[in-house]
Structure formats: C-alpha cells, structure tokens
Amino acid sequence: MTHTIFIDGEAGTTGLEIRERLEARPDLELLLLGDRRRDVDARREALNNADAVILCLPDDAAREAVAMVENPSVKVIDASTAYRVAPGWAYGFPEMDAGQRELIARSQFVSNPGCYPTGFIGLVRPLVKAGLLPANYPVTVNAVSGYSGGGKAMIAEFEAPGAATPYRAYGLSLKHKHVPEMTKHTGLSHDVLFAPAVGNYRQGMLVEVPLHLGALPETPSVERIHGALVEAYEGQQFVEVVDLDETEALTGIEPEGLNGTNRLRLHVFGARDGEQARLVALLDNLGKGASGAAVQNLNIMLGLDEATGLI
C-alpha cells in the first residue's frame, strides 16, 4: 500500500531534510506543489487529500494550516512549537514513556519535539519519574547546537564569506520558546533555567544537565542515576544509554558525533563515589531533533515499522 504525504513548508531546512528522507521510499508518494506551494487553495486541497501531512512552518503559519484540515482521516505532524504543550496533541517522543508510542499511533495530531527538549527530556524525565529528582528541583540545562538549528537566516549568517563567529550564547532573556515543553514533559513543577548557545558548525548538538547529587533528597549515586536511564530506555532502538565504563574512558564528546542519524545517546559523567553528576545528551539537531523524529512519528502513525528510512 502506498501512502500519500504532503510536506507543507518543504523549502525550509527541516522540510528539505524530511523530503530527502522520504522521496526515495517506494511505500510513500509525495504530493509536491512546486510553484503553487504558496497558493492557499492548492495547499488546502493537499492538506485534506493526503494520508498524512507534515507541517514545517513558523508557528502562526502552522496554526493556519491546521485550521485548513477538515478531513478527520488526515494524520498531522507539526514541526513548529505551536502545539507542543497544547491539549489534544500527542507529543512525538515515542521513547518518552511506556504508552507514548501507542498514543502517537492513535492520534490524528502529533507535535514533533524540539531538538534541545529531546535531549533534555531524555535525560531528566526518567529521573523525575523514578523519584531521584524532585519535581520542584531547580534544574539548569546548558546546550550547544550547530547553526542549522536557527533556520535559513542563521545558516546564511554563519556561511557568509568572512563569517568568523566561533560561538554565541543566546536566549539571554531566559524566555526561550522551548522552556514550556521542557518543563511540562519532564514533569517538573517550575521552569527550567535554559542556557542555549550556537557554534560555528552546521549540525549536531550537546545538551547538558549538571546535578549536585548531595543536594537531592536521597543523594543518589552516579550509578543509580545511570540505572534509572538504562531502565527507562531498555530495548529502544534509537535511544542509547552509554555504559559507565565507556563513559569514564572518554576525554571529550564531539557534538557532530551522531549527524545523519535518528539516534539519541545519553551519558552520565561523575565519580561513582562523588556528589556531582554531569548528564550529557548527544544528537543530531536535524535528525532525532527534527526531521528524523518526524519520519519516525510518521511511520508510527501510518502503522509502519518505525525505523523505516532511518538509521
């Protein structure tokens, strides 16, 4: 059976990545509008005639596109931040919880997670759920992404002749648009302190959560923290919790280490008898952090093997 797919916003960074992942698949047929991609009537027709649509649009445009969907059989995946904490939308992180994959499968509307939140939620949610990290704990997350995460404008800035910016901190107002989903989907009771940055490389990211274990109620060891993550992701194809011995042997982590994949790799650093831990997530911001996750969710929603077309 061939499924028809419409990517609304296929000319953007995420849209292009998704199209590249889908266009060679014999089980899918892409509805391409070409020069009519800004024609409202053409878009409305495609939005209602496809088996599934993937929205790669700014928030307001995504809301407008969703309002055009009148066919209840059309599956919708939104890659913007518009619906990531909205009622009636499933959050598209299948490995997040035991029932999340089934929730995605039966939902008409799925919100694709943000890249930074994927790493953060992957690290923190299991610890809150296991009671090792109190819901009211003041959590800080530091992260760096390749410049492709900023879209066409940032890509043009960093790739312009003579561009020399090596690294830039941003989100300095502490009101980054990812904070609501990072807080809600970890089970924390108040906003995380999010300190993002962008480096002068195209894609790949590191997301870090430092913890003072001695400040936690039970002073959990590094081994207990690691064990909670291992238990949470046992049997998952795309989420790997690195063995403590392997982690201890590392002298550094390159943010580009998982580029081109849909994988998320989690590390727990720290002395096993110490009172500090440094949790680090590695992922491709355009892979598991965007287009790869969208394809994984699409596969689940269409009843296909979720790994189809992914590595």
Side-chain angles (χ1 to χ4, degrees):
M1 178 181 179
T2 301
H3 300 276
T4 55
I5 313 297
F6 174 53
I7 305 170
D8 197 1
E10 66 174 84
T13 305
T14 299
L16 288 170
E17 288 272 335
I18 293 172
R19 176 175 174 175
E20 182 178 336
R21 291 171 184 266
L22 299 182
E23 61 186 354
R25 286 177 51 174
D27 58 333
L28 303 177
E29 177 186 354
L30 297 185
L31 300 180
L32 303 175
L33 300 184
D35 293 339
R36 298 188 302 151
R37 67 178 183 270
R38 290 188 175 86
D39 184 313
V40 174
D41 291 334
R43 288 177 56 224
R44 187 187 303 275
E45 182 179 354
L47 286 165
N48 285 282
N49 288 340
D51 293 317
V53 302
I54 305 176
L55 307 179
C56 301
L57 303 165
D59 287 8
D60 288 343
R63 294 185 184 97
E64 291 174 0
V66 170
M68 293 185 203
V69 178
E70 299 171 345
N71 184 346
S73 67
V74 175
K75 304 286 189 179
V76 179
I77 299 171
D78 177 39
S80 79
T81 62
Y83 296 103
R84 290 179 184 163
V85 295
W89 284 73
Y91 192 64
F93 190 168
E95 301 89 354
M96 183 175 82
D97 207 32
Q100 199 66 19
R101 187 172 276 103
E102 290 71 24
L103 177 61
I104 293 167
R106 66 173 184 265
S107 296
Q108 180 183 7
F109 298 101
V110 171
S111 182
N112 216 49
C115 50
Y116 291 120
T118 296
F120 178 72
I121 295 166
L123 290 168
V124 172
R125 183 183 174 94
L127 307 185
V128 175
K129 189 173 181 180
L132 300 178
L133 191 65
N136 64 353
Y137 191 78
V139 179
T140 297
V141 53
N142 309 296
V144 60
S145 172
Y147 56 75
S148 60
K152 286 186 174 181
M154 186 173 286
I155 291 171
E157 174 193 347
F158 275 83
E159 293 186 352
T165 301
Y167 179 94
R168 182 169 69 223
Y170 69 101
L172 304 180
S173 68
L174 302 182
K175 295 178 181 179
H176 195 282
K177 64 182 181 178
H178 285 324
V179 169
E181 69 181 290
M182 296 168 91
T183 303
K184 176 179 178 178
H185 297 298
T186 49
L188 294 171
S189 59
H190 55 255
D191 288 350
V192 302
L193 196 163
F194 179 36
V198 59
N200 194 359
Y201 63 96
R202 184 174 177 84
Q203 68 191 80
M205 70 180 354
L206 294 173
V207 181
E208 302 191 42
V209 179
L211 291 176
H212 288 280
L213 303 180
L216 299 176
E218 297 183 18
T219 313
S221 65
V222 163
E223 289 170 306
R224 283 194 67 194
I225 295 288
H226 181 266
L229 295 178
V230 169
E231 182 178 354
Y233 300 112
E234 183 178 4
Q236 298 294 342
Q237 180 172 354
F238 293 117
V239 181
E240 171 194 6
V241 182
V242 181
D243 182 80
L244 280 177
D245 290 336
E246 183 179 342
T247 293
E248 288 170 349
L250 293 174
T251 57
I253 302 179
E254 297 291 337
E256 300 168 287
L258 289 179
N259 282 3
T261 78
N262 187 52
R263 296 167 59 198
L264 171 65
R265 183 177 294 159
L266 307 178
H267 292 270
V268 180
F269 291 93
R272 301 196 193 194
D273 59 350
E275 292 194 353
Q276 295 180 332
R278 185 177 178 182
L279 315 184
V280 181
L282 169 66
L283 67 155
D284 180 354
N285 60 289
L286 296 181
K288 186 62 171 168
S291 61
V295 173
Q296 184 180 0
N297 286 320
L298 176 69
N299 289 335
I300 293 171
M301 295 173 79
L302 295 177
L304 307 174
D305 182 336
E306 70 181 81
T308 304
L310 298 170
I311 59 174

